[in-house]
Structures are given as structure tokens and as C-alpha cells.
Amino acid sequence: MISLLVLAVTLLAIPFIPYFPSPAQAATGDSVAFVANQLGNKLDRIWSYTDGQWLLYDPATPTINTLQRLEIGKGYWIGVSADSVLYFNVDPFYKNLYKGWNLIGWLGGATPIAAQEIAYTAGEDAASDNLGGQWVGQTFTTYESIEMESLSLRLMRRGTFAGTIPFYLATVAGGVPQFVVSRVVFDIATVTTTWPGAWYTVPLTGVLEAGQQYAVFFGTSGVAPDVNNFFTWIVDKSNPTYGEGSVVTSVDGGRTWVTRWDLDAMFRVKAKVA
């Protein structure tokens, strides 16, 4: 009898959610990407019941998604695989999410980020090195369509390393780089050897779509680095707080990637509204 009672209470705690989503929602309100890009791989699903329809956002199966926007004053079930924090741009500024399903009322505040504000520039205290096949990237999000003019990165080199490094701009899906939008070769010989590096402009260009996440990453050097002579990208390791993306790394030439939530790389986007 006790086991049946426990089962009944457990079932009541789980929201009733149909398996098949309904037709797509009208594009009003804040982009669901505002939540998805903050929670990353902790996000399981988001459900909404609007005007008699269940709407779904599932990052693992984007082809069936019908939830596109979050509207102020409406409730949403957000399922996460681990305890998380969701940040807003309005008071009270954040909401604690706990492993499992969380019912929240949407406060709004996913204010579009101006092109000149897409950046992470403080907290430099570590380096992500280009040794062997190690590739490093930083993902970021655009909330308006922009034409990117250049990208500035905080870089440094060790020893006498000199050569060229290809930098790429690519779309992101599932948290990792997918399709290359732009590529440029950068001369590392111009980079300082003094800690904590300096800012250098990499002329990556391209038209970026609103609500899409992108990644900038470097590839394999034309000259093989060694343990005393190599190139590095300056990062924040002690307190990474960039909520619109993360560092991603690859050790097999970009075929597979790992998301590093413990790092944020120093970058600044220069762009104009497309």
C-alpha cells in the first residue's frame, strides 16, 4: 500500500505532456534560444500549452520543434538534466532551475544584444594552447541579423613559434561547430610573447542570422608547435560568466568537439546591423 501511495504522488509531480507536438507557434515574444544557449547540454526540453496546443522545444530533435518564442506572462515547463541557473535581463535577474521539470512564468527581458556588445573581455587568467592537434573555439549568440566586419581575440605565443594559423567562423548546432561561414589565415609571428597577451584583429566576415549561435575557432598550424614554442588563446578559467556561449575543444582536427563550461575565451565582435 505504501509503495502504491509513493507511486501515485510521484506521478502527480510529473507534468502531463503529450508525445506529439502541435502546429508551429506564431513568431512573437523572446526567442527560445535565449534559454537554450544559456543552459546548453543541461537542457532536455521546454513545453508550453498555448491556445489549446502543446508546443515543444527539444534541442536534440530540432526538426519537430514547434516552440519558437517565449511570451511574457505565460508559463513554461523547462526540463533540465542538472541544477542550473537561468539569467534574465530584468529584475529578479535569475531563476534557479532544479534537476527535472521546472514550471516558470516568463518574465521577458531577452533584450536583443547589440552587435558591438557581443564580447567577453575580462578575467584573463589562463591560456588554451595550440599543441599538436588541439583546436580551440568560442561560441557566441546573435539576437539580431548582423554583418560581421572583424573579430578581435586576446592572443599570445610562446618561445620562437612563428607561422600561420587558420581561423574559422562556423554555425553551431548541438553546441558544436557545424558549417564554416568564413575562413582567414592569421600570421602568428606578429603576436606578443608577453603575458597576458594582447588584442589582435582577425578579419573574419560574414552575415550572421538572428537567433543563431556561431563559433570562432582556430585550426592546424602551418608549422608544428612543440612544448616550448606554440600559440595560445587567453581565457578566463577562474570565473567564466559568458552566458551566450562557451569554449569548445577538439583533439582530432575538428571532427569531434567537447564543450568546456569551465572556460570563456577573450573575444570581441565588430559588426553592423544587416
Side-chain angles (χ1 to χ4, degrees):
M1 178 63 71
I2 294 177
S3 297
L4 290 175
L5 179 60
V6 171
L7 176 61
V9 171
T10 302
L11 289 173
L12 287 173
I14 301 174
F16 173 74
I17 297 173
Y19 183 76
F20 295 105
S22 299
Q25 167 197 30
T28 60
D30 297 321
S31 171
V32 72
F34 182 75
V35 175
N37 292 328
Q38 284 193 55
L39 300 180
N41 59 3
K42 293 181 181 179
L43 177 62
D44 290 332
R45 287 185 171 189
I46 305 175
W47 283 95
S48 172
Y49 188 74
T50 303
D51 298 328
Q53 297 181 349
W54 282 101
L55 303 174
L56 167 68
Y57 178 83
D58 183 346
T61 54
T63 56
I64 68 170
N65 287 344
T66 53
L67 180 63
Q68 302 167 354
R69 301 281 173 172
L70 308 176
E71 300 180 66
I72 296 174
K74 292 189 175 181
Y76 298 89
W77 284 103
I78 300 180
V80 290
S81 60
D83 291 353
S84 313
V85 179
L86 177 61
Y87 293 94
F88 298 96
N89 291 331
V90 296
D91 193 12
F93 301 113
Y94 70 93
K95 174 72 175 177
N96 289 315
L97 303 179
Y98 301 98
K99 182 179 179 180
W101 289 102
N102 301 260
L103 178 60
I104 71 165
W106 187 249
L107 300 177
T111 306
I113 299 175
Q116 65 271 19
E117 295 176 333
I118 302 176
Y120 192 82
T121 60
E124 61 276 12
D125 59 13
S128 192
D129 302 331
N130 172 228
L131 285 172
Q134 178 82 5
W135 288 24
V136 178
Q138 172 70 47
T139 65
F140 63 91
T141 308
T142 58
Y143 289 105
E144 59 187 343
S145 295
I146 61 174
E147 183 178 348
M148 195 162 116
E149 299 176 334
S150 65
L151 190 80
S152 295
L153 308 172
R154 191 163 193 136
L155 306 174
M156 182 179 165
R157 64 189 175 101
R158 305 281 189 177
T160 59
F161 180 72
T164 58
I165 293 279
F167 278 90
Y168 300 89
L169 175 69
T171 59
V172 170
V176 299
Q178 293 291 316
F179 300 108
V180 173
V181 176
S182 181
R183 176 185 181 275
V184 67
V185 175
F186 184 75
D187 184 3
I188 296 301
T190 63
V191 173
T192 183
T193 58
T194 303
W195 175 261
W199 287 95
Y200 296 89
T201 297
V202 179
L204 282 170
T205 60
V207 176
L208 310 187
E209 298 178 4
Q212 171 68 50
Q213 194 170 54
Y214 293 88
V216 57
F217 60 94
F218 62 75
T220 303
S221 169
V223 177
D226 58 49
V227 293
N228 297 311
N229 303 280
F230 58 91
F231 151 77
T232 191
W233 189 349
I234 306 302
V235 301
D236 177 2
K237 186 175 182 179
S238 62
N239 187 34
T241 58
Y242 183 61
E244 310 302 323
S246 63
V247 165
V248 290
T249 60
S250 173
V251 294
D252 57 9
R255 288 186 291 275
T256 60
W257 294 87
V258 174
T259 301
R260 294 287 304 272
W261 300 107
D262 60 326
L263 301 174
D264 280 322
M266 305 287 113
F267 79 100
R268 287 195 301 245
V269 169
K270 182 181 179 183
K272 60 185 179 181
V273 177

